């Protein structure tokens, strides 16, 4: 498989970030982290001084982001918030970058798009009947979404905590409770996009899993909560029908594949729900499956919703 060297390199770096420091990588990456710190600090100062301009959308904006690279549980949280606000009568819109999407212009997403065109996360939202726009410039994505749906009352931004071009009314930082902040170094030495103390300025911290109160001392005004992922349903890819755990466990060889920020969390989640998986395969986050051949030696293969929309787009 052509992407195998990339997978091995990602594994090596993530192992350095989250498990055990590699001396050679430390020597190579530490100077680069100092450069990253200098550039990111200057960039934020320029935004504070209004030399780099920030723009305000005409409706309130809530950022659901993180300070680490990779998935921490932002998408399920954003979807949950959107559905909760909708149930209370609010018209909600969602904007995001559309990571690894083929379409590079600001686009309002619909169900006729594919995951390869607009990104896997955007397709998760539209398949859940959300109003979505993608764009590297989140402000322009919000403007375009409001043009199409002028009755939107609030916009949620999936990711974008560091996208200071867009003004925000409320910030939520999501933290993976199993990985936390890794070695707490900035990129590329560690997984941090910003220094740890950035968490002190957000309005809420949501742990994806158990709360770790020792990670950071929060202010009295800061909300700290946790989210627990539950097994909603298992969908048969071929028939688009739901199946039960008992039916699934009748299969003799069950394989699990995950191309998310922390694949092990998915595998542990499956086991915690008493699904008898035989083997697992972890792939890089946002892996597009374009040239991937599903293994045929298993009687069942489990994937995440994020990977399901990409596999569905291949048909």
């Amino acid at each position: 498989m052509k992407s195998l060297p990339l997978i091995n390199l990602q594994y090596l770096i993530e192992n350095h970030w989250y498990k055990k420091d590699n001396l050679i990588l430390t020597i190579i990456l530490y100077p680069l982290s100092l450069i990253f710190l200098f550039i990111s600090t200057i960039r934020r100062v320029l935004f504070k001084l209004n030399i780099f301009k920030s723009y305000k959308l005409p409706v309130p904006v809530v950022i659901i982001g993180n300070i680490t690279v990779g998935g921490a549980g932002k998408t399920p949280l954003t979807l949950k918030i959107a559905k909760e606000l909708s149930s209370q009568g609010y018209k909600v819109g969602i904007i995001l970058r559309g990571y690894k999407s083929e379409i590079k212009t600001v686009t309002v997403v619909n169900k006729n798009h594919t995951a390869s065109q607009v990104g896997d996360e955007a397709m998760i939202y539209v398949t859940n009947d959300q109003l979505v726009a993608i764009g590297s410039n989140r402000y322009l994505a919000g403007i375009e979404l409001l043009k199409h749906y002028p009755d939107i009352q609030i916009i949620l931004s999936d990711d974008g905590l560091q996208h200071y071009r867009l003004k925000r009314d409320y910030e939520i930082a999501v933290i993976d409770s199993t990985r936390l902040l890794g070695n707490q170094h900035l990129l590329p030495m560690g997984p941090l996009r910003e220094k740890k103390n950035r968490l002190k300025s957000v309005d809420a911290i949501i742990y994806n899993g158990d709360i770790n109160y020792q990670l950071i001392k929060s202010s009295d005004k800061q909300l700290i909560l946790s989210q627990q992922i539950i097994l909603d349903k298992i969908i048969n890819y071929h028939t688009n029908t739901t199946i039960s755990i008992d039916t699934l466990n009748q299969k003799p060889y069950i394989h699990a594949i995950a191309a998310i920020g922390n694949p092990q969390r998915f595998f542990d989640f499956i086991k915690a729900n008493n699904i008898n998986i035989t083997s697992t395969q972890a792939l890089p986050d946002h892996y597009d499956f374009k040239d991937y051949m599903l293994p045929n030696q298993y009687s069942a293969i489990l994937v995440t919703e994020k990977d399901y929309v990409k596999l569905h787009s291949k048909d």
Side-chain angles (χ1 to χ4, degrees):
M1 188 183 300
K2 292 181 180 179
S3 59
L4 189 58
L6 176 61
I7 295 173
N8 290 338
L9 178 60
Q10 179 168 334
Y11 173 80
L12 184 66
I13 292 175
E14 289 189 356
N15 193 66
H16 175 69
W17 287 352
Y18 294 109
K19 294 179 181 179
K20 186 177 180 180
D21 284 346
N22 181 303
L23 180 59
I24 295 175
L25 282 178
T26 297
I27 294 171
I28 295 171
L29 299 178
Y30 183 68
L32 299 176
S33 289
L34 293 177
I35 296 172
F36 181 87
L37 172 61
F38 175 77
I39 294 173
S40 59
T41 301
I42 293 297
R43 176 177 175 270
R44 190 163 187 198
V45 168
L46 291 175
F47 272 110
K48 283 187 175 181
L49 295 175
N50 206 31
I51 296 172
F52 285 176
K53 301 295 183 182
S54 295
Y55 299 93
K56 179 81 171 70
L57 287 171
V59 298
V61 171
V62 177
I63 302 283
I64 299 100
N66 58 6
I67 64 168
T68 57
V69 172
K74 299 184 298 295
T75 300
L77 177 60
T78 303
L79 184 58
K80 176 65 176 177
I81 294 173
K83 288 183 174 181
E84 184 64 30
L85 288 171
S86 296
S87 71
Q88 296 179 26
Y90 292 96
K91 188 83 169 185
V92 182
I94 298 175
I95 56 175
L96 63 162
R97 177 183 172 186
Y99 184 64
K100 286 194 173 181
S101 58
E102 293 174 354
I103 298 174
K104 302 304 179 184
T105 56
V106 171
T107 302
V108 174
V109 182
N110 61 60
K111 293 181 180 180
N112 293 324
H113 285 113
T114 65
S116 60
Q117 290 175 325
V118 298
D120 44 33
E121 290 150 341
M123 288 309 298
I124 289 176
Y125 291 130
V126 295
T127 54
N128 281 276
D129 301 317
Q130 301 301 312
L131 307 179
V132 184
I134 62 168
S136 58
N137 185 322
R138 254 50 68 88
Y139 170 75
L140 294 180
I143 290 295
E144 190 66 21
L145 192 60
L146 288 167
K147 285 181 182 177
H148 281 71
Y149 306 102
D151 55 342
I152 285 177
Q153 298 169 289
I154 185 170
I155 284 182
L156 308 179
S157 176
D158 180 340
D159 209 0
L161 201 60
Q162 294 77 35
H163 189 74
Y164 294 113
R165 186 179 295 180
L166 176 64
K167 290 183 180 292
R168 65 286 310 268
D169 299 276
Y170 198 86
E171 290 183 328
I172 299 173
V174 186
I175 297 175
D176 184 338
S177 64
T178 60
R179 286 182 162 187
L180 298 176
L181 305 182
N183 60 17
Q184 299 192 18
H185 286 286
L186 290 168
L187 287 166
M189 171 74 174
L192 297 189
R193 301 174 179 180
E194 295 183 277
K195 294 175 71 174
K196 175 183 172 180
N197 61 9
R198 173 70 170 91
L199 292 173
K200 295 179 180 179
S201 64
V202 301
D203 299 287
I205 295 175
I206 308 295
Y207 284 89
N208 192 14
D210 297 330
I211 295 175
N212 186 319
Y213 288 104
Q214 303 303 315
L215 181 62
I216 185 169
K217 294 180 180 179
S218 62
S219 66
D220 294 337
K221 296 180 180 179
Q222 194 174 55
L223 185 66
I224 296 183
L225 298 171
S226 70
Q227 67 169 353
Q228 301 294 336
I229 306 300
I230 63 171
L231 181 61
D232 182 21
K233 55 189 173 183
I234 304 171
I235 299 177
N236 185 311
Y237 171 73
H238 297 289
T239 63
N240 202 32
T241 57
T242 59
I243 59 175
S244 67
I245 292 177
D246 290 339
T247 300
L248 183 63
N249 279 337
Q250 291 174 11
K251 308 287 185 181
Y253 302 106
I254 304 175
H255 185 56
I257 300 172
I260 57 177
N262 185 359
Q264 190 58 47
R265 175 180 284 279
F266 176 60
F267 303 145
D268 293 342
F269 175 75
I270 293 172
K271 294 174 184 176
N273 280 275
N274 300 314
I275 298 175
N276 303 319
I277 53 176
T278 309
S279 58
T280 63
Q281 182 179 17
L283 294 169
D285 195 14
H286 298 283
Y287 188 79
D288 64 10
F289 290 95
K290 183 178 180 180
D291 299 316
Y292 184 85
M293 296 296 293
L294 284 170
N296 56 17
Q297 68 266 38
Y298 303 103
S299 50
I301 297 176
L302 289 176
V303 299
T304 67
E305 182 180 17
K306 185 175 177 179
D307 298 324
Y308 176 83
V309 297
K310 287 177 286 189
L311 289 166
H312 191 66
S313 294
K314 288 179 65 176
D315 292 345

